[in-house]
Amino acid sequence: MDDEEVARRRLAVQRLHGEPFDHAEGVVRALLAVQAQDVEPSEWSIGMRAADATLDSIRAAIDGGALLRTHVLRPTWHLVHRDDLRWLLSLTAPRVHVRNRPRYADLHLDAALLDRAAGIIREAVKGTALSRAEIGEVLTDAGIDGASGQRLAHILMYAELEQVVCSGPRRGTTQTYAALDELAPDAGTFDRDTALRELALRFVTGHGPATRGDLQWWASLTAAAADRALDAAGDVLVRVEGGGRTYHLAPVPEPPAPPRPSVLLLQPYDEYVSGAADSRDVHDPGDLLRAARWPRYSGLVTLDGRLVGSWRRHVRSAHVDIDLAADEAFAGAAGEALERAAWHYATFRERELSRLTVGAP
């Protein structure tokens, strides 16, 4: 299996070409989690993969609790379906705490204080949803000093990882926190081996072909745990060699060849990139993500599955402007594919595309 086939299969399983998913929930269930430290870009990651996912329908799924935004897998936010959140947190939260331990220490957040703060938050959100600022006030009133800024952010992350809170409905543009018990009731007994097998199956099916390293980084696993997960799923997953790597993939029908040229405007942490930390060179053979000469705009541009530039959008009341910095000229058919991708984004945002520019990096 060469790099071109790996990229082609990943584009297909993630529905970045071919038949889209039916709706927002289907996208998130298939990918298992969608990285979402910035809400608006994560909405686009879902929208570009689903036939009927409008901005309003995605926000309704989040505000209604079908999709929950919380810290899981790594020290960042993800959107996860409520049916998957409990077992994912049980499996990955201990390792995320390990990764957070130096930062907890820097912020003078010891275990006793974090547990006390989580208990206060649990009581505060019963039957309601509170903003970050409101939770900070509750903690300050309870005698916890410095409940703001990064200190408050890490207290809240701890509470999320401990299954106390997750995202609540938005108040306008303000994010809130709500009780996880009220949005995703406890499903009962957690079995680590069963969860590891489910993780490997779901990750590879939604992101593969994938390496052990891809899974390990994505879910904050140890190398031993990643091997254990893939071995447990070995009765379903297939192992193939390519480019000096061992890939794992689900036995799905041969994916159709993508249209060429094909252009995608991805959010910077789209699962197409985030799900391939160990094998990123398949998508980024020029190592553009680390190239100092290449400006980090608000998103990534791919041409036929390869990373070739970055893009940024300026969303106005009735229109959107899109600017690219790219190694490609995007002339002829590639230019037409880029324009289609830009119109797709503008339509999703319910705007007119008023400007599309391409410049050198």
Side-chain angles (χ1 to χ4, degrees):
M1 181 177 292
D2 60 20
D3 287 355
E4 184 174 348
E5 184 177 356
V6 171
R8 176 171 63 88
R9 287 180 176 273
R10 288 175 176 172
L11 289 168
V13 300
Q14 293 196 26
R15 309 294 176 90
L16 290 169
H17 77 77
E19 188 72 21
F21 294 105
D22 290 336
H23 45 68
E25 291 183 44
V27 175
V28 177
R29 289 301 301 271
L31 293 174
L32 189 52
V34 172
Q35 192 165 333
Q37 63 265 53
D38 294 319
V39 176
E40 182 185 297
S42 68
E43 293 168 340
W44 170 233
S45 276
I46 295 170
M48 68 191 304
R49 290 170 164 88
D52 297 327
T54 64
L55 196 55
D56 285 344
S57 71
I58 294 169
R59 290 178 176 174
I62 297 171
D63 290 342
L67 303 179
L68 300 175
R69 180 175 178 260
T70 193
H71 281 86
V72 64
L73 298 174
R74 304 187 297 282
T76 191
W77 278 286
H78 287 80
L79 285 169
V80 180
H81 193 276
R82 62 185 165 206
D83 293 344
D84 291 318
L85 184 53
R86 289 280 189 179
W87 68 265
L88 273 177
L89 280 169
S90 296
L91 181 62
T92 66
R95 285 286 300 170
V96 181
H97 281 319
V98 169
R99 292 178 64 174
N100 283 348
R101 196 173 292 154
R103 190 62 177 139
Y104 292 153
D106 289 343
L107 295 166
H108 305 290
L109 297 171
D110 60 30
L113 188 150
L114 287 167
D115 284 340
R116 177 171 170 245
I120 294 167
I121 294 169
R122 186 187 299 276
E123 292 301 314
V125 297
K126 283 184 177 179
T128 189
L130 299 176
S131 69
R132 175 180 291 200
E134 289 167 341
I135 291 175
E137 291 174 4
V138 169
L139 292 171
T140 298
D141 290 344
I144 294 181
D145 295 332
S148 62
Q150 283 297 301
R151 190 170 164 86
L152 176 58
H154 281 77
I155 288 172
L156 282 165
M157 190 192 309
Y158 181 87
E160 290 174 303
L161 292 168
E162 290 299 297
Q163 304 188 30
V164 173
V165 292
C166 61
S167 61
R170 270 175 282 205
R171 298 185 206 146
T173 59
T174 300
Q175 302 290 312
T176 69
Y177 292 83
L180 183 59
D181 285 345
E182 296 170 13
L183 293 173
D186 197 338
T189 304
F190 168 74
D191 181 81
R192 179 174 171 78
D193 287 339
T194 300
L196 281 170
R197 184 178 189 277
E198 180 75 0
L199 174 68
L201 284 172
R202 298 277 295 280
F203 173 75
V204 172
T205 301
H207 295 78
T211 67
R212 189 276 307 276
D214 292 331
L215 172 61
Q216 179 183 346
W217 183 88
W218 191 80
S220 296
L221 300 177
T222 64
D227 281 335
R228 187 172 176 179
L230 291 166
D231 288 344
D235 60 324
V236 176
L237 300 179
V238 177
R239 298 187 185 216
V240 296
E241 302 298 320
R245 295 188 176 105
T246 298
Y247 288 103
H248 305 261
L249 66 155
V252 297
E254 185 72 15
R260 284 183 176 268
S262 174
V263 175
L264 296 172
L265 300 180
L266 303 174
Q267 69 130 320
Y269 304 104
D270 190 88
E271 290 300 310
Y272 183 65
V273 176
S274 295
D278 177 58
S279 57
R280 191 185 68 205
D281 57 294
V282 170
H283 309 147
D284 187 15
D287 204 18
L288 293 181
L289 282 175
R290 296 184 182 177
R293 67 180 181 83
W294 192 58
R296 286 296 192 93
Y297 284 174
S298 60
L300 306 173
V301 183
T302 67
L303 175 62
D304 298 330
R306 294 178 296 104
L307 185 61
V308 295
S310 61
W311 67 288
R312 62 183 170 192
R313 74 273 190 262
H314 305 276
V315 180
R316 319 295 185 187
S317 59
H319 63 272
V320 61
D321 302 329
I322 293 178
D323 300 313
L324 274 74
D327 287 337
E328 300 286 334
F330 285 104
E336 294 173 3
L338 170 60
E339 187 166 354
R340 288 193 296 272
W343 271 108
H344 187 191
Y345 177 76
T347 301
F348 175 74
R349 294 303 307 273
E350 300 178 337
R351 303 291 196 276
E352 292 289 323
L353 178 65
S354 62
R355 187 184 78 222
L356 175 60
T357 65
V358 181

